[in-house]
Each structure stands twice: as C-alpha cells, then as structure tokens.
Amino acid sequence: MKKTTLLLPLAFLLFGCDAQTSATKTIDAATVELCRQGEYAYSLPVDLEKYTHAMALFSQEGGDNPYATTKFKQTCQPLPQVEDKLAYIAEQSAQATLPYPEAGKVLYFKQVDDTAYVVLAAQEDGWAGVSAAEPVITRNIQLNSSIQHVTFGYAPGDEKQS
C-alpha cells in the first residue's frame, strides 16, 4: 500500500488530476497508519461539520476547493463480514458525511481494473451533500485498496438499475 501511495504524485504529474481523484493529493504516505488484519483505515475530516459546510459553499459559489486544505484524522475500524469490503467502506464514508443515513446507501459498486464505480442513493434521489461525500469516499477507498480512480456513476455497459 505504501508503494502505491508514494507513486500517486508521479501519476498525477504524468496524467493530470480530475476532481474525482483529487482526494489522493492530500494523503501523505508518512501519515497513513497500517491497520491490522480485520480492520480498515477510516479517514474523516477533523472538523466534519466545518468541512461539509465549506464544501456546500464551494459547490454553490465556487472558489477554492476546501478539500485541499482540510485536515484529516485516520483511525482503524473493525471490518465486519461483508460481501464487498470497498462498497462497505464507501457506504460508511458516505453516511458519515451526508445528512441522512438513507442518502449514504451504496446502490451500485463495481470495480473494473483500477477504477471503482459508485452510485449512492443521494445521487439517484437528488439529496444534498454529495459534493462533500465524494472526496471522502474516494480517499477511504484509495486508503484501503490499489484503486486509482473512483467514478461516481455506472460502469460503461451498465445502466441505471430500476
């Protein structure tokens, strides 16, 4: 995991950086705590309320993306027996940052090579707060896998589930 994290800045330099992968810019390899087996790394803004408010203003008014200056705290959390570890981590991250637990439900998760595709109930049902949740979800998925890109939408060839 550390080797991957150390190579991320080089990948951004060579291939650029879009809004969905910008979350990895602030993950410092020296601060990534390795968790024990049966745990996962869980990283949230130190001041979650301030972060979600700042992201809401940013999505409505523009300006500088507050994610770049947000301080995060990482903990190791127990990982329950789940079908898909990364979908679970995405849902935990979404529910921590969105105002209602239902909004943070992961409706669709698929990994294709080094890309994860995620659809939240918030996106399908038009809930507010998605702009704050997406970078945190991306951060936590990338802390716990070799995923390089997180796309919020369906994978090519898949369509919205009815």
Side-chain angles (χ1 to χ4, degrees):
M1 165 115 74
K2 281 191 170 189
K3 289 180 184 176
T4 303
T5 306
L6 292 173
L7 294 175
L8 287 174
L10 178 61
F12 289 125
L13 178 65
L14 295 174
F15 301 110
C17 177
D18 64 3
Q20 293 177 347
T21 58
S22 64
T24 57
K25 290 193 307 187
T26 60
I27 300 175
D28 178 6
T31 63
V32 175
E33 179 183 337
L34 297 178
C35 296
R36 296 181 300 208
Q37 186 172 2
E39 295 181 331
Y40 68 97
Y42 190 50
S43 181
L44 291 175
V46 171
D47 188 339
L48 187 59
E49 186 176 327
K50 179 180 175 184
Y51 166 76
T52 55
H53 179 72
M55 286 299 286
L57 291 176
F58 170 68
S59 69
Q60 295 168 6
E61 301 171 3
D64 293 332
N65 186 338
Y67 181 86
T69 57
T70 299
K71 294 184 189 245
F72 285 81
K73 178 175 173 50
Q74 180 189 317
T75 59
C76 292
Q77 299 292 318
L79 182 66
Q81 292 293 329
V82 292
E83 188 174 322
D84 190 324
K85 167 187 166 180
L86 295 179
Y88 174 81
I89 291 169
E91 190 164 283
Q92 294 303 301
S93 302
Q95 290 181 345
T97 53
L98 290 167
Y100 303 101
E102 304 87 39
K105 183 171 170 45
V106 172
L107 302 178
Y108 172 90
F109 187 94
K110 184 174 187 177
Q111 181 178 345
V112 179
D113 299 324
D114 68 347
T115 301
Y117 295 89
V118 181
V119 175
L120 303 172
Q123 295 162 313
E124 293 286 300
D125 299 331
W127 292 85
V130 174
S131 61
E134 289 177 356
V136 174
I137 294 166
T138 299
R139 178 184 184 87
N140 281 295
I141 287 173
Q142 291 178 335
L143 278 173
N144 290 282
S145 69
S146 61
I147 298 282
Q148 296 294 312
H149 310 282
V150 178
T151 299
F152 292 91
Y154 293 96
D158 289 355
E159 55 190 39
K160 182 177 174 178
Q161 310 295 312
S162 300

